[in-house]
Amino acid sequence: METKKGHTANSSSAPISVFCDITSAVRSPCCTILENISDGVFTIDSEKRITSFNRAAEIITGFNQSETIGQYCFDVFRADICEKNCALDLTLSSQKPQINLLARIISKNGDPKPIRLSTSILRNEKSNAIGAVETFRDVSELEALRRRADRRFTSEDIVGQHPKMNEIISFLPDIAESGSAVLIEGPTGSGKELIARAIHQLSLRKNKPFIAVNCAALPDSLLESELFGYVRGAFTGATQNKPGRFQLAHKGTLFLDEISNTSLNFQADLLRVLEEGRITPLGGTQAVGVDVRIVAASNAEMGRLIQEGKIRQDLYYRLNVVKINLPALRERKQDIPLLMDHFIRQFNLRKERDIQGVSAEVLAFLMDHPFPGNVRELENIIEFAFIACKGPVIDLAHLPRELVEGRSTVPDYLPEDDRMEAEKILMMLARYPNNRSDVARVLGISRTTLWRKMKKYGFLDTGNET
Amino acid sequence: MRMSAVLGKPDMKRDSRNEITMKIAVPLFGDRVSPHFGASSQILMIETRDGKIFHKARIDTGAQDPGEITRRLVSSGVDQLVCGGIHRVYRQWLTRSGVRVLDNQKGPAEALVIKMIESGSKKRR
């Protein structure tokens, strides 16, 4: 962009330098290219005032070109590196490019956006430096994927504009700040762990561990040793001391998922720890102090479980300092298109695809679907569609057959993690009804493992167990 | 948000002499309003009494974390934050804590605050 090599119309000898002034009011072919690329591009003069601002830059920053021309670049770009590590300053002073730096900008409407940026010096036809150019691209989706891989969700990962969700999101910093115990109630797949992690990330404990425990996944005896740890010799096989999750979460947050699935005996032990702030590992005699913030979650209404005698009232009051009720997806249908777009963007990146969206029929169908599995079910449907769909648009034919035909046979009693796995297997079985090898291949497991899991979830007919 | 909607409201704090007091914070970028809330190392604190500045100071944020800076602003009794870009989570956090947020501002920080105070005083008259 600095100086473009080209040929004059009547040139027959060596190429000559042709300066393309992208800051000129007169549009050149170069400007047309800049207006049609997906990377944001802007140029500045030697005083760091913006001289050009392309369309992608408008989209990423939220500022119109007319608002930016003549303004200082930092007042528009608003990156966290502007004050102490400005890439354009480095380029202007050293006359050297800066390549692929990571920064965070804040868009006009307050959206934080991670970007990758590069800068280079801008020269005129006499090779004199007249300013600098910066190119940048929004890497929000990549960063979201990275957070997902690391399971370090923040409030930015909560997708939704329904008033109930907005209220929850806006209340999160206050909840995080309080340091109090939090109880999250919400149906399976509604995002309870996402909320718990967002609270942790906003809290003073954010640089300390976030430890998640699915209480329903472990029997009582194992749950106690997992949470409280054990000392060597506590039981057969306890060959060395092992710290419990409470100790691992010291100074951080302990997320107790599906707390409602624990026994009353375990609840009594847990209550004692919460009240005393000390744990005694199994087989041990010395109590150890722990400073842990508890965030508990339940997919059943805890108040009702108290009436049924399944939850200790005193534990409930201990946990229920702050309560968050997450709505089911069917109660916030306006978020379905947003979530669909979100998952399509994520799967496009993860699977290196370029699916543009869903057909009107699919949108209408999903808007009418009750989503018993909530956001996770929608995510699974989109993931399945990515396997079935080979073109740019997801159609009804690409959705799981049992979904379109109104059948769902995933047992209700399964814990959340198992439900998610069972739903995936069911979708793939519907997609490849006569070929379990394909199902196993798509799921990334062996045929034997597939058979074992089908048996576990009750997907095998009695005469079909080979 | 217009400044006239910010200054001179009946819920303004009053001191022992029944004068309206206000504490305004402006994250700095040199002498200008910082464009990115959470990235600045200094904050201009201006305290006004009946529409006149009676104290101003630059304080080090001592932090590069917007959550930590938000906590400090709330705990130090700031009434209003004047800033450039601010993540909506921190804007909501401050608003819910009773701090008025005037965002998307740019330019020399002190001159901007003086202009806002004068504008607010005229409105009250």
Side-chain angles (χ1 to χ4, degrees):
Chain A
M1 196 178 313
E2 301 156 17
T3 306
K4 191 178 168 186
K5 297 284 183 186
H7 295 271
T8 53
N10 56 0
S11 166
S12 58
S13 57
I16 59 166
S17 292
V18 177
F19 174 66
C20 172
D21 184 3
I22 62 173
T23 68
S24 166
V26 181
R27 311 302 271 175
S28 69
C30 175
C31 299
T32 308
I33 293 169
L34 286 178
E35 286 304 298
N36 287 285
I37 60 174
S38 58
D39 283 9
V41 182
F42 69 85
T43 55
I44 57 165
D45 61 18
S46 55
E47 292 180 345
K48 297 179 74 173
R49 290 190 185 271
I50 293 175
T51 50
S52 72
F53 203 76
N54 79 340
R55 179 155 172 69
E58 289 182 321
I59 293 167
I60 297 170
T61 64
F63 287 100
N64 293 325
Q65 189 191 54
S66 59
E67 297 173 281
T68 65
I69 301 298
Q71 300 295 325
Y72 286 114
C73 57
F74 47 79
D75 278 336
V76 171
F77 200 52
R78 313 202 299 189
D80 56 353
I81 61 170
C82 286
E83 184 183 348
K84 295 192 180 75
N85 196 24
C86 173
L88 284 166
D89 272 346
L90 286 170
T91 291
L92 285 170
S93 60
S94 68
Q95 308 242 322
K96 287 180 181 166
Q98 301 292 313
I99 309 291
N100 208 28
L101 305 181
L102 182 64
R104 289 176 76 81
I105 63 167
I106 297 175
S107 75
K108 187 179 178 181
N109 64 1
D111 286 331
K113 293 186 178 179
I115 53 148
R116 286 276 173 188
L117 66 91
S118 298
T119 57
S120 184
I121 204 80
L122 192 62
R123 299 178 190 281
N124 64 11
E125 69 275 19
K126 293 175 184 166
S127 287
N128 295 327
I130 57 167
V133 58
E134 177 161 322
T135 62
F136 58 102
R137 71 174 44 175
D138 183 352
V139 292
S140 299
E141 297 297 335
L142 275 172
E143 287 294 307
L145 274 182
R146 187 168 299 157
R147 288 197 298 271
R148 184 191 174 90
D150 298 342
R151 299 194 74 74
R152 292 178 64 87
F153 297 109
T154 69
S155 56
E156 292 164 36
D157 296 296
I158 304 169
V159 179
Q161 290 182 351
H162 187 278
K164 278 186 184 171
M165 293 306 292
N166 277 340
E167 191 185 340
I168 290 169
I169 294 167
S170 69
F171 199 34
L172 284 184
D174 295 303
I175 295 172
E177 190 66 5
S178 72
S180 306
V182 180
L183 178 62
I184 305 170
E185 279 187 10
T188 298
S190 56
K192 296 185 286 293
E193 185 171 341
L194 176 63
I195 296 288
R197 286 183 185 272
I199 290 171
H200 175 72
Q201 284 298 319
L202 282 167
S203 76
L204 283 166
R205 296 171 180 265
K206 72 174 190 176
N207 294 321
K208 300 295 178 183
F210 177 95
I211 304 288
V213 180
N214 185 344
C215 299
L218 298 167
D220 256 22
S221 53
L222 217 51
L223 191 56
E224 292 209 0
S225 67
E226 272 296 310
L227 282 181
F228 309 138
Y230 54 79
V231 297
R232 184 179 170 190
F235 48 82
T236 310
T239 54
Q240 55 186 4
N241 294 348
K242 186 190 172 194
R245 302 289 179 99
F246 264 98
Q247 282 169 281
L248 295 176
H250 185 55
K251 301 282 184 189
T253 303
L254 182 63
F255 175 56
L256 299 174
D257 200 5
E258 303 209 45
I259 189 82
S260 53
N261 287 29
T262 56
S263 72
L264 292 173
N265 283 340
F266 172 79
Q267 290 172 29
D269 290 342
L270 179 62
L271 180 65
R272 193 169 57 249
V273 172
L274 296 181
E275 285 180 341
E276 295 173 1
R278 300 175 75 76
I279 55 148
T280 306
L282 293 185
T285 52
Q286 292 280 316
V288 182
V290 283
D291 170 14
V292 170
R293 183 193 202 166
I294 299 292
V295 179
S298 168
N299 58 13
E301 195 200 329
M302 296 278 273
R304 178 174 55 80
L305 295 177
I306 292 172
Q307 302 295 321
E308 294 172 4
K310 293 177 180 168
I311 287 287
R312 289 179 64 110
Q313 196 165 25
D314 43 10
L315 177 66
Y316 174 72
Y317 288 124
R318 184 82 203 179
L319 296 174
N320 186 27
V321 181
V322 179
K323 189 171 176 181
I324 297 174
N325 283 305
L326 276 178
L329 186 52
R330 63 179 170 277
E331 292 169 29
R332 54 178 185 118
K333 289 202 164 187
Q334 70 190 64
D335 288 343
I336 291 174
L338 284 176
L339 286 159
M340 274 194 316
D341 288 346
H342 170 73
F343 290 132
I344 287 172
R345 286 196 303 272
Q346 294 240 313
F347 284 122
N348 273 335
L349 277 172
R350 280 164 66 181
K351 298 177 184 296
E352 297 183 347
R353 300 281 301 277
D354 189 25
I355 287 182
Q356 302 296 308
V358 303
S359 68
E361 290 77 16
V362 168
L363 180 59
F365 176 83
L366 291 179
M367 291 298 281
D368 274 343
H369 184 60
F371 284 106
N374 292 290
V375 179
R376 185 180 294 141
E377 183 185 358
L378 176 59
E379 183 179 7
N380 286 350
I381 290 169
I382 299 295
E383 185 173 3
F384 176 87
F386 263 68
I387 296 167
C389 176
K390 304 301 176 198
V393 176
I394 295 170
D395 215 336
L396 271 183
H398 306 132
L399 301 189
R401 189 183 303 167
E402 87 283 353
L403 178 80
V404 180
E405 292 174 359
R407 288 187 287 116
S408 177
T409 53
V410 175
D412 291 335
Y413 58 79
L414 289 176
E416 282 198 41
D417 286 353
D418 285 355
R419 270 190 74 86
M420 187 167 67
E421 185 177 65
E423 281 166 8
K424 269 189 190 172
I425 292 173
L426 206 57
M427 283 183 195
M428 297 310 162
L429 287 170
R431 181 66 190 167
Y432 304 102
N434 299 314
N435 195 334
R436 294 210 184 140
S437 294
D438 277 356
V439 174
R441 181 180 48 75
V442 169
L443 292 169
I445 55 178
S446 69
R447 268 182 62 95
T448 313
T449 305
L450 174 64
W451 178 86
R452 197 165 41 79
K453 288 181 183 294
M454 286 173 66
K455 188 175 180 186
K456 175 182 172 185
Y457 299 133
F459 297 158
L460 288 174
D461 298 326
T462 41
N464 191 23
E465 292 197 9
T466 53
Chain B
M1 189 189 291
R2 287 176 296 112
M3 193 56 203
S4 55
V6 173
L7 288 177
K9 286 224 168 186
D11 61 345
M12 285 293 164
K13 284 192 300 196
R14 287 178 186 273
D15 64 8
S16 54
R17 290 182 290 181
N18 201 31
E19 289 176 329
I20 296 171
T21 62
M22 193 168 185
K23 192 184 266 191
I24 303 168
V26 192
L28 293 173
F29 175 61
D31 289 328
R32 297 175 65 88
V33 178
S34 170
H36 187 113
F37 178 78
S40 58
S41 49
Q42 284 201 316
I43 290 180
L44 176 65
M45 285 288 197
I46 292 183
E47 290 179 68
T48 68
R49 184 179 289 148
D50 263 1
K52 291 189 178 66
I53 296 174
F54 77 93
H55 184 253
K56 64 182 177 185
R58 279 173 178 246
I59 58 163
D60 289 334
T61 58
Q64 286 292 301
D65 176 78
E68 187 53 37
I69 293 173
T70 301
R71 272 184 203 102
R72 291 182 190 186
L73 292 177
V74 171
S75 64
S76 60
V78 166
D79 301 292
Q80 179 162 15
L81 173 73
V82 179
C83 62
I86 180 169
H87 187 326
R88 72 158 77 91
V89 164
Y90 301 110
R91 187 174 55 202
Q92 287 171 341
W93 184 347
L94 286 159
T95 304
R96 289 181 72 102
S97 305
V99 180
R100 294 187 174 94
V101 178
L102 184 63
D103 62 349
N104 288 333
Q105 299 301 303
K106 57 177 185 272
E110 195 170 333
L112 182 68
V113 173
I114 289 170
K115 193 175 167 187
M116 285 164 38
I117 292 167
E118 286 172 356
S119 163
S121 298
K122 279 179 193 168
K123 292 277 178 189
R124 284 203 305 277
R125 276 184 216 135

